[in-house]
Amino acid sequence: MASNGLQPLEIEVEVNVASRGFPGFNIVGLPTKAVEEAKERVRTALVNSGVEFPQKKITVNLAPADIPKEGSAYDLPMAVGILVAAGEMPLPDKKKYFYGEVGLDGRLRHTRGVFLLASLAKEKRVTKVFVPKLAANEASVVEGIKVYPVNSLVELVRHFNQDKLIKPLKNLDRHELIEAADVEFDFSEVAGQEQAKRALEIAAAGGHNVFMVGPPGSGKTMLSRALPGILPELTEGEALEVTKIYSVTGNIEPGGGLVRRRPFRSPHHTTSRMGLIGGGSKPMPGEISLAHRGVLFLDEFAEYPRSTLEALRQPLEDGVISVVRVAGQMQFPAKFMLVAAANPCPCGFLNHPKRACVCLPGQILRYQKRLSGPILDRIDIHINVPFVEVEKLRQDSAATAGNDSSELIRARVKAARKIQEKRFSGEAVPAGRQGIFANGEMKNKQIKKYCQLSADAERLLQQAADKWQLSARSYFRLIKVARTIADLAGQTKIEYAHIAEALQYKVKV
Amino acid sequence: MKPWRQWQIEEINNKDKLFPKRLAKIKAAPEKLYYRGNWDSKIFTKAIAVVGSRSMTKYGEMAVAKLIPGLVRAGYTIVSGFMYGIDTAAHKACLAEGGKTVAILGGGLNQLTPVQNDKLYSEVLDQSGLVISEYEPEEKAQLWTFPHRNRIVAGLSQAVLVIEAGEGSGSLITAKLGFDQKKSVLAVPGSITTSLSAGTNWLIRNGAILVTKAEEILEELGEEVTVKAKQLPLNLTEIERAIMDQLSKESLSADELVRMIKLDVVRVGQALSDLALKGLIEEAGDKYILGFKNAD
């Protein structure tokens, strides 16, 4: 199998061992370096497995021949072809998939893309797939196929000779897997930061993007790491989408199967634009696609180059990223919650209770200007994450003992999400796009339709707009956040209190 | 509004009749001054210098907002140094109140420092104020020129008001020059834990007059002051009152308030938004402080 982005393509490996001709080993069909080197791997692996390597002219064709092939997954089918030709094993009767890299000792290594292979098998009605044992769990989440985990070439030969059969893997129960996933970080472990926690609950409930400002060490990273745990569990469909991306990029650990937790990605600010949004001469998903259905955390937001952040705009709006390269155009899903974090000033200690800020006023001004780009316009919730004095917190430990656990918060989030799903179920879905599921995705038209304000809420909002000179955009953002707050409270109309709370999360810098 | 570059640079000699007498008397008085604007010596009859830290805090900003309008209304010209921080805030507060303000630059008149004050430069001139420098128009500001021009800031004024100053800051030099020139030095007190109030508190300890209201400053300058009627108490909910109580003691973040009042973050957040809208509290960085409206 080859893949074009996330699109799998069946590749047939033809092996011919000619009875005449000078002994040799040739691979045709646009192999790249890794495929070319398969010769040596396969030859040595076979010899080390106790097979006499045929001293004949061997030609391997990878069909269709005009598509470039890369990766080490063609090792296994080549080896199987030679084994059959050498008379070590019978020709398998029905069509089967073989996939995986072999080691010099004849054992199979973990290979990426196994999940994609399994879904291709299902699509092409191929019922049996042979993959390296270390990656076999990935395939076993696909229903309707038999997955044979192979340890080594010797094992495979014995299997086909009916000597010792390999037991196929049981299909994993996806639903159970997802349910059983535990939370990485629990909100109840976060001391203090009451307002930030509440803001993240609202963000999770309404699918709003979040911007956090606070000095180093105040807990911005910890808070955002805890965020995936209060988002609703992945649905089966979502889990498969995520697993596919992770399988293709080789991000599933050996032995791992389905991705069960919502992803949390925190790329460093030196990550290139391609690394972030995806690309390459043969396009691969970037960090934003790896954060699909999860959280993309951009720490030191001000340090990212402008061009990188600009590139985030389209996926933030559409939930997919289109990458166009010579090799073709590709779409990768990229529906994520953006959590951006930044220091309040270049040195980080502005407003810090213990340490003095050493920045010049001009520096701070320039820094804040850099932050207020067009991306911040797409972020609904802005919060301060102030420095927490551990001593003080310890005194109030009684207060933190009553912290809500992530599970409890998640239950509230799910209830609010249910209301939203119902609200947007009647919305027309534009062709080629995904529908709306959460308040954070509302456009002005929908805001006007679904966000009725009570009379005094309206008045309060007007007052606030006058006092803080809110732009039209921030005005609508406030309403969106208030809508989610009202949903969390289970109310149909946006009341005074909801707007008042939403005002706490307006732009800070 | 006419951009400042279109204003002619003019000179005035200290032998000139229009040269401010007050300035001519000081030690090392400048021999001549360059200026932009319409020179009217009446502008210096009632003048007060307002100086302070370049890295102004919210407290300093509020002090400016609270003190300057009263002075301007009483007909005082605000003299300051045109740097960022308190200087800029003082010039702006004066202009906003419709007053006249005099800016003494640390460099030549064609050297705009800081660049952010481009518009302010024009506005000062537009409202019949003056921008003055003792340096050649193209001369760049140096580290030493800033403290040097402070003697003019103090020299043009009847009194020096220091709003926020760190220890050993340039504002203290102006204050010291004020003492030397036998002028009243007034200082706004601050918290003993804030580094930017260390200078003003030190001044008070060493003979500056503590001021907290515009009336007190006017009194010090020998004006008759009429006492305003006290504000009526506002209708506040229980949470709001609790928040105001806590904030009247110290500045606190929303999280700290939640812990102190022992109420959930949702209700505290709502109350904070309400109070901020009423102008009773202000956001200062990640903390809240009492708004200056209710500080009297």
Side-chain angles (χ1 to χ4, degrees):
Chain A
M1 177 203 71
S3 65
N4 177 22
L6 297 181
Q7 214 52 51
L9 182 74
E10 197 175 71
I11 301 289
E12 207 170 314
V13 180
E14 299 172 337
V15 180
N16 181 47
V17 179
S19 45
R20 292 172 56 164
F22 216 62
F25 194 163
N26 272 316
I27 301 176
V28 296
L30 296 185
T32 54
K33 190 77 180 147
V35 182
E36 194 67 47
E37 285 173 348
K39 286 185 225 173
E40 298 308 321
R41 280 197 299 273
V42 171
R43 189 204 311 269
T44 319
L46 285 173
V47 171
N48 287 342
S49 303
V51 178
E52 200 179 322
F53 194 79
Q55 291 299 320
K56 290 173 178 167
K57 184 172 173 62
I58 301 173
T59 309
V60 173
N61 179 34
L62 306 173
D66 60 344
I67 292 169
K69 322 291 183 309
E70 60 178 31
S72 51
Y74 304 103
D75 293 4
L76 183 60
M78 285 183 213
V80 169
I82 297 169
L83 282 168
V84 171
E88 292 285 338
M89 59 183 263
L91 189 68
D93 43 359
K94 269 194 204 146
K95 187 167 170 185
K96 294 178 176 60
Y97 278 168
F98 294 92
Y99 187 88
E101 173 180 334
V102 297
L104 296 184
D105 55 357
R107 267 198 288 214
L108 269 67
R109 293 174 175 277
H110 180 256
T111 313
R112 69 184 189 189
V114 167
F115 174 82
L116 213 57
L117 175 89
S119 33
L120 180 70
K122 192 181 173 190
E123 191 190 313
K124 301 269 182 190
R125 294 173 199 281
V126 174
T127 51
K128 292 179 179 173
V129 299
F130 291 82
V131 293
K133 190 171 181 183
L134 286 173
N137 275 345
E138 277 180 44
S140 65
V141 294
V142 178
E143 284 162 348
I145 56 164
K146 267 193 182 156
V147 179
Y148 291 86
V150 185
N151 243 333
S152 64
L153 291 177
V154 177
E155 216 182 87
L156 192 73
V157 172
R158 284 208 189 132
H159 173 82
F160 280 100
N161 288 332
Q162 310 289 325
D163 217 2
K164 187 173 174 221
L165 293 179
I166 301 173
K167 259 213 274 189
L169 277 186
K170 262 205 221 109
N171 267 128
L172 296 177
D173 185 343
R174 303 175 196 161
H175 193 66
E176 213 167 74
L177 273 177
I178 296 169
E179 287 283 290
D182 53 340
V183 189
E184 200 181 8
F185 272 98
D186 203 288
F187 259 60
S188 59
E189 292 164 25
V190 183
Q193 305 299 8
E194 288 80 0
Q195 198 168 38
K197 284 193 273 188
R198 166 69 180 169
L200 287 179
E201 176 177 342
I202 297 168
H208 302 283
N209 298 321
V210 184
F211 183 54
M212 297 194 275
V213 180
S218 58
K220 298 180 297 258
T221 309
M222 182 151 129
L223 280 165
S224 40
R225 273 198 181 277
L227 179 59
I230 61 166
L231 289 167
E233 296 91 356
L234 285 168
T235 63
E236 265 182 64
E238 287 173 344
L240 291 178
E241 285 174 25
V242 178
T243 307
K244 195 169 175 182
I245 299 169
Y246 274 62
S247 174
V248 169
T249 50
N251 268 307
I252 298 182
E253 299 146 35
L258 193 67
V259 176
R260 307 183 294 172
R261 280 199 206 114
R262 288 197 181 265
F264 176 86
R265 302 295 297 188
S266 54
H268 190 250
H269 61 254
T270 54
T271 309
S272 70
R273 202 171 72 194
M274 256 187 233
L276 198 66
I277 69 164
S281 58
K282 182 170 183 279
M284 286 294 261
E287 285 291 334
I288 59 167
S289 297
L290 290 172
H292 181 58
R293 302 287 175 197
V295 174
L296 179 71
F297 177 55
L298 301 183
D299 203 359
E300 310 290 353
F301 195 64
E303 305 299 327
Y304 283 86
R306 248 260 143 81
S307 63
T308 307
L309 296 181
E310 291 291 319
L312 280 177
R313 280 163 68 173
Q314 188 231 336
L316 269 177
E317 296 266 313
D318 302 341
V320 290
I321 174 77
S322 314
V323 179
V324 184
R325 290 293 183 281
V326 183
Q329 193 230 29
M330 247 132 277
Q331 286 215 327
F332 299 122
K335 206 172 184 66
F336 54 89
M337 245 176 96
L338 175 67
V339 179
N343 292 332
C345 66
C347 81
F349 294 103
L350 187 70
N351 302 323
H352 196 281
K354 289 275 167 69
R355 292 185 56 175
C357 168
V358 295
C359 308
L360 294 173
Q363 273 181 309
I364 298 178
L365 221 69
R366 237 171 297 134
Y367 180 85
Q368 292 181 340
K369 225 178 236 165
R370 192 140 37 100
L371 281 180
S372 56
I375 287 289
L376 278 206
D377 261 354
R378 285 163 173 78
I379 296 184
D380 295 340
I381 295 183
H382 297 247
I383 36 173
N384 281 323
V385 182
F387 177 78
V388 178
E389 287 170 71
V390 184
E391 279 302 301
K392 257 192 192 168
L393 277 182
R394 230 172 256 148
Q395 285 169 14
D396 310 325
S397 59
T400 45
N403 270 352
D404 289 350
S405 70
S406 286
E407 203 181 330
L408 197 69
I409 301 174
R410 198 188 320 135
R412 293 200 292 258
V413 167
K414 276 157 83 176
R417 286 255 176 167
K418 198 156 270 168
I419 298 174
Q420 297 168 47
E421 251 168 64
K422 212 166 135 199
R423 171 178 309 138
F424 300 122
S425 59
E427 275 294 307
V429 180
R433 289 221 189 162
Q434 283 161 316
I436 293 187
F437 297 102
N439 293 335
E441 302 164 45
M442 283 193 289
K443 300 271 181 301
N444 290 358
K445 199 178 85 191
Q446 283 124 353
I447 294 175
K448 279 180 190 135
K449 187 164 158 196
Y450 296 115
C451 302
Q452 272 84 35
L453 275 73
S454 73
D456 46 347
E458 185 95 53
R459 204 169 334 113
L460 179 67
L461 189 57
Q462 207 47 57
Q463 250 179 355
D466 289 344
K467 173 157 173 128
W468 289 303
Q469 286 154 23
L470 300 180
S471 66
R473 214 189 231 124
S474 33
Y475 186 88
F476 280 117
R477 274 204 307 252
L478 268 171
I479 301 180
K480 280 200 276 185
V481 175
R483 175 71 268 170
T484 306
I485 296 172
D487 287 341
L488 275 168
Q491 281 170 349
T492 43
K493 211 168 196 184
I494 299 174
E495 303 288 347
Y496 185 88
H498 305 145
I499 292 281
E501 196 192 345
L503 282 172
Q504 287 289 304
Y505 312 119
K506 69 180 169 54
V507 183
K508 295 288 193 303
V509 282
Chain B
M1 192 169 60
K2 192 158 118 190
W4 59 267
R5 279 183 202 281
Q6 289 176 17
W7 287 79
Q8 280 301 319
I9 296 183
E10 284 164 83
E11 292 177 29
I12 185 161
N13 198 286
N14 68 0
K15 306 269 171 0
D16 201 306
K17 261 207 291 197
L18 290 173
F19 196 85
K21 302 237 157 39
R22 212 181 281 141
L23 182 61
K25 276 197 294 195
I26 68 163
K27 216 163 78 183
E31 276 176 25
K32 79 177 172 190
L33 293 174
Y34 294 95
Y35 67 91
R36 273 197 168 101
N38 297 322
W39 189 279
D40 175 5
S41 48
K42 265 185 267 167
I43 197 170
F44 301 113
T45 332
K46 283 165 92 177
I48 180 165
V50 178
V51 294
S53 169
R54 292 179 181 187
S55 43
M56 172 176 61
T57 67
K58 188 80 186 179
Y59 176 70
E61 193 184 324
M62 282 167 60
V64 168
K66 189 178 169 190
L67 300 176
I68 304 299
L71 299 176
V72 176
R73 261 180 264 128
Y76 277 85
T77 301
I78 305 295
V79 182
S80 193
F82 206 66
M83 267 323 270
Y84 33 65
I86 297 287
D87 288 6
T88 297
H91 287 305
K92 282 187 178 161
C94 174
L95 293 174
E97 202 60 39
K100 288 176 187 161
T101 183
V102 176
I104 321 293
L105 304 193
L109 286 178
N110 284 338
Q111 296 293 332
L112 180 66
T113 334
V115 280
Q116 293 96 320
N117 279 357
D118 184 74
K119 206 173 138 214
L120 182 63
Y121 198 144
S122 310
E123 279 169 357
V124 169
L125 299 176
D126 193 58
Q127 278 194 33
S128 335
L130 289 171
V131 178
I132 299 177
S133 170
E134 61 178 313
Y135 304 107
E136 295 295 322
E138 304 300 334
E139 200 171 327
K140 283 216 170 85
Q142 309 282 338
L143 266 183
W144 59 269
T145 57
F146 289 107
H148 198 56
R149 62 100 208 257
N150 284 352
R151 73 187 197 290
I152 306 177
V153 175
L156 284 173
S157 317
Q158 289 163 270
V160 177
L161 170 62
V162 187
I163 294 211
E164 250 188 339
E167 247 166 323
S169 76
S171 311
L172 296 187
I173 298 178
T174 317
K176 188 178 163 293
L177 290 164
F179 281 126
D180 291 350
Q181 297 170 9
K182 308 259 179 318
K183 295 190 170 143
S184 344
V185 176
L186 315 163
V188 178
S191 151
I192 59 166
T193 57
T194 319
S195 64
L196 278 179
S197 290
T200 44
N201 288 343
W202 178 87
L203 276 176
I204 292 166
R205 204 176 130 74
N206 286 284
I209 294 146
L210 183 152
V211 288
T212 61
K213 301 186 177 99
E215 289 80 19
E216 290 171 3
I217 302 171
L218 293 174
E219 212 175 303
E220 197 50 46
L221 294 167
E223 299 272 333
E224 297 252 330
V225 178
T226 47
V227 180
K228 256 196 318 187
K230 221 152 166 53
Q231 266 186 340
L232 289 172
L234 287 137
N235 285 326
L236 295 178
T237 66
E238 210 170 303
I239 309 179
E240 288 174 339
R241 188 156 299 132
I243 291 174
M244 296 295 283
D245 268 357
Q246 293 296 344
L247 288 182
S248 63
K249 291 176 208 150
E250 57 179 325
S251 59
L252 293 164
S253 71
D255 291 344
E256 287 164 333
L257 281 166
V258 168
R259 270 171 251 147
M260 285 178 148
I261 304 174
K262 297 203 170 27
L263 269 173
D264 66 306
V265 62
V266 176
R267 290 177 60 198
V268 172
Q270 290 163 357
L272 283 173
S273 296
D274 252 346
L275 288 170
L277 268 179
K278 288 178 191 153
L280 293 175
I281 59 171
E282 295 263 343
E283 244 178 299
D286 48 20
K287 304 227 174 194
Y288 281 94
I289 50 176
L290 283 191
F292 56 86
K293 259 194 194 168
N294 62 304
D296 306 35

